[in-house]
Amino acid sequence: MKAYKQFIDGALREPHSHGVIEVENPFTQKIAATVPNGDAEDGKEALQAAAAAQPAWAARSAVERAGILKTMAATIREHRVELAKILMEEQAKIAPLAQVEIDVTAEYFDYYAGWARIYEGEIVQSDRPTENILLFRKPIGVSVGICPWNFPFFVMARKVAPALLTGNTVVIKPSSLAPNTIMAFAELLAKRDLPKGIVNFVTGAGATLGEYLVRSPVPGIVSLTGSVEAGQKVIAGTAENITKTSLELGGKAPAIVCADADLDLAVKAIVASRVIFSGQVCNCAERVYVDKKVEDQFIAKVRAAMKAVTYGDPATAPDMSSQIDRNQQKKIAEMVERASKDGAEILVGGQIPETKSGYFFEPTVLGGCRQDMEIIRQEVFGPVLPVVSFTNGLEEAIALANDCDYGLTSSIFTTNLGNAMLAMNRLKFGETYINREHFEAMQGFHAGWRKSGVGGADGKHGLFEYLQTHVVYVQW
């Protein structure tokens, strides 16, 4: 069985005597590998290495730093197939999606390498005729990145690429549920001639290692992708040192289907957005609001589409595979059961299927839902699609969509330009997709409102997350 090591200060290190974390393959339900169960000792060593390396790293030109990002991209491409296999095995991600994640991660490093000659400061007009005001954008220092289990490898790049390019050094803590691909990448980087300490990968539990990293005075920024509860802990942990946070948290994305919508397009996009990685994506379509005039037609089409969704062995490329673990499977089943008892009608699925292995939950459609139901208000993070109808026009649908603690993504399906414009001006979400599936672009800005987070990632604004301003007044 593969046993990964910590990657600190440019070298693989044997773990301290704190035991290991066993990483389960959710499909086979067998242990795929082990990683160190690191704690404060590992965190301290990683932060010290990053802090020691940061001044010299920041002193290099951005173009030189971009060269390291290109090396990382090339390393991923050279090992793209084996990395995709590891990703598939550690989280039951279907093979095509696993390969896409690996390939897009390489593109992401190249994308941010391209920013080396582009990002800039400003010259601000002064009130004094013999003065210039210069605004510099400078690195924050050491960045701590805490990665999720659903897209661990890609999100790792989100936290490494812009930080390194802008002169920061990085400590990454992968999720204990899916650390293998990141740690395999660390093994590959150990064989490259990279500056020591600029990027460090350490594994361990959130309550020990994560807590230490977040509460340490060393980081200038802590970036987390995870649950609202995890984000609240990060905010509490960083409060004493007033450490900057960048948080992408949960989502409860609404999809609005207007009476004039292309229903076939709407169904295709919504189902794709609901079952990608078994519904375990924060920007998935989590609830549907359909105009009562076309509700019956929409329900008939979406039932057929969800019933046709295939699931099984991720290596055989079904539409989806299992949930990440038994806890997630149980949570989904209990939420569907409560929704049924509260009056929702199970139109498709609704059960844990009988399978030889894997934490599966059937693709599910729930009709007759109400706005006050838990299934409409709380994140399911599974292949369950609750449907609510509206009767008083688009304004009502937008009000229902906005009536939510979360604010990450949203969508509308309409052939009416006025409807589309009204939605994009009134929906209170970080992203809105019109007549397409929920999936962001690396040159955009993936950021949420309300409890969906603080700050964001991708594009120019994602780069600025890792920079702080320094204004200089030059009188002559």
Side-chain angles (χ1 to χ4, degrees):
M1 182 187 301
K2 181 67 179 181
Y4 292 100
K5 301 176 182 179
Q6 308 285 42
F7 181 69
I8 300 173
D9 203 22
L12 299 171
R13 297 191 182 184
E14 292 289 344
H16 294 290
S17 55
H18 306 304
V20 297
I21 296 170
E22 294 183 331
V23 183
E24 182 186 25
N25 179 324
F27 173 66
T28 65
Q29 298 175 316
K30 296 179 180 179
I31 303 303
T34 64
V35 297
N37 187 18
D39 62 6
E41 286 183 77
D42 302 82
K44 183 178 181 181
E45 290 177 0
L47 288 174
Q48 286 177 339
Q54 198 273 328
W57 178 245
R60 298 191 182 204
S61 70
V63 170
E64 190 176 0
R65 295 193 295 263
I68 299 300
L69 268 62
K70 292 177 182 178
T71 296
M72 292 179 171
T75 300
I76 293 169
R77 290 193 178 99
E78 289 170 17
H79 300 272
R80 59 185 292 274
V81 175
E82 64 188 83
L83 287 170
K85 183 179 179 182
I86 294 169
L87 185 61
M88 181 186 72
E89 289 178 343
E90 72 174 319
Q91 56 173 191
K93 182 165 283 176
I94 62 172
L97 186 59
Q99 192 63 72
V100 165
E101 181 173 346
I102 299 301
D103 293 342
V104 170
T105 301
E107 290 181 27
Y108 201 84
F109 277 108
D110 277 339
Y111 168 75
Y112 269 114
W115 273 92
R117 292 186 175 95
I118 299 175
Y119 81 92
E120 56 195 20
E122 300 173 18
I123 299 176
V124 181
Q125 294 301 317
S126 173
D127 295 342
R128 303 180 181 187
T130 57
E131 180 180 70
N132 293 116
I133 303 174
L134 310 178
L135 184 149
F136 295 89
R137 298 189 189 277
K138 297 185 176 180
I140 293 175
V142 174
S143 171
V144 166
I146 302 176
C147 297
W149 51 259
N150 59 345
F151 283 89
F153 201 59
F154 175 71
V155 174
M156 175 274 298
R158 265 183 169 165
K159 301 183 187 306
V160 171
L164 286 184
L165 181 77
T166 50
N168 303 279
T169 52
V170 185
V171 175
I172 292 290
K173 191 196 92 65
S175 165
S176 296
L177 289 175
N180 295 349
T181 313
I182 294 175
M183 301 313 288
F185 181 51
E187 288 188 341
L188 296 172
L189 293 183
K191 300 174 184 178
R192 298 283 188 170
D193 186 22
L194 302 183
K196 292 182 179 180
I198 62 167
V199 61
N200 307 268
F201 299 95
V202 286
T203 55
T208 51
L209 174 62
E211 187 79 2
Y212 178 83
L213 293 174
V214 166
R215 291 187 176 276
S216 170
V218 174
I221 179 173
V222 174
S223 174
L224 165 88
T225 301
S227 66
V228 171
E229 293 74 20
Q232 290 167 336
K233 290 178 181 178
V234 167
I235 291 172
T238 55
E240 182 178 352
N241 295 301
I242 320 294
T243 305
K244 179 180 179 180
T245 61
S246 180
L247 310 173
E248 184 201 337
L249 308 178
K252 190 66 182 175
I256 298 173
V257 181
C258 297
D260 59 79
D262 179 334
L263 293 184
D264 290 328
L265 171 65
V267 167
K268 182 179 179 180
I270 290 170
V271 171
S273 300
R274 181 64 276 178
V275 303
I276 182 174
F277 192 38
S278 309
Q280 299 171 131
V281 185
C282 55
N283 60 353
C284 272
E286 277 259 347
R287 52 194 167 118
V288 176
Y289 296 98
V290 60
D291 193 305
K292 188 70 175 178
K293 298 171 187 174
V294 293
E295 180 184 18
D296 291 345
Q297 296 168 261
F298 175 80
I299 289 291
K301 289 176 181 291
V302 83
R303 284 181 67 179
M306 286 288 273
K307 194 171 184 179
V309 169
T310 59
Y311 55 90
D313 184 345
T316 64
D319 296 319
M320 59 174 244
S321 190
S322 78
Q323 310 310 130
I324 190 66
D325 63 8
R326 191 178 301 281
N327 289 335
Q328 187 65 19
Q329 180 194 48
K330 181 181 177 183
K331 172 201 165 189
I332 296 166
E334 290 175 346
M335 288 186 75
V336 170
E337 182 180 4
R338 288 194 293 270
S340 178
K341 289 180 179 178
D342 198 22
E345 182 183 0
I346 298 175
L347 303 175
V348 174
Q351 300 292 326
I352 295 174
E354 293 184 8
T355 56
K356 292 181 180 179
S357 62
Y359 303 113
F360 291 96
F361 194 84
E362 293 176 339
T364 300
V365 177
L366 300 176
C369 295
R370 304 185 312 275
Q371 186 69 8
D372 64 345
M373 286 182 171
E374 175 198 42
I375 204 78
I376 292 294
R377 306 199 68 82
Q378 299 300 319
E379 189 173 36
V380 180
F381 226 55
V384 177
L385 191 65
V387 180
V388 177
S389 64
F390 63 93
T391 58
N392 296 318
L394 183 55
E395 292 274 11
E396 178 193 7
I398 291 173
L400 292 171
N402 288 338
D403 178 25
C404 181
D405 289 340
Y406 301 93
L408 190 56
T409 72
S410 56
S411 64
I412 181 171
F413 296 87
T414 179
T415 55
N416 182 298
L417 179 61
N419 287 343
M421 295 301 294
L422 180 65
M424 71 173 71
N425 280 280
R426 299 283 183 85
L427 284 170
K428 298 178 180 180
F429 293 81
E431 294 171 1
T432 296
Y433 302 95
I434 298 176
N435 294 327
R436 58 158 285 188
E437 77 286 358
H438 295 215
F439 211 82
E440 71 275 15
M442 65 179 70
Q443 66 269 34
F445 187 51
H446 190 56
W449 294 24
R450 299 184 291 280
K451 288 186 179 179
S452 285
V454 177
D458 305 336
K460 175 180 70 175
H461 298 286
L463 189 79
F464 286 171
E465 288 285 278
Y466 295 92
L467 291 164
Q468 56 190 345
T469 58
H470 180 192
V471 177
V472 178
Y473 295 82
V474 183
Q475 186 162 295
W476 48 277

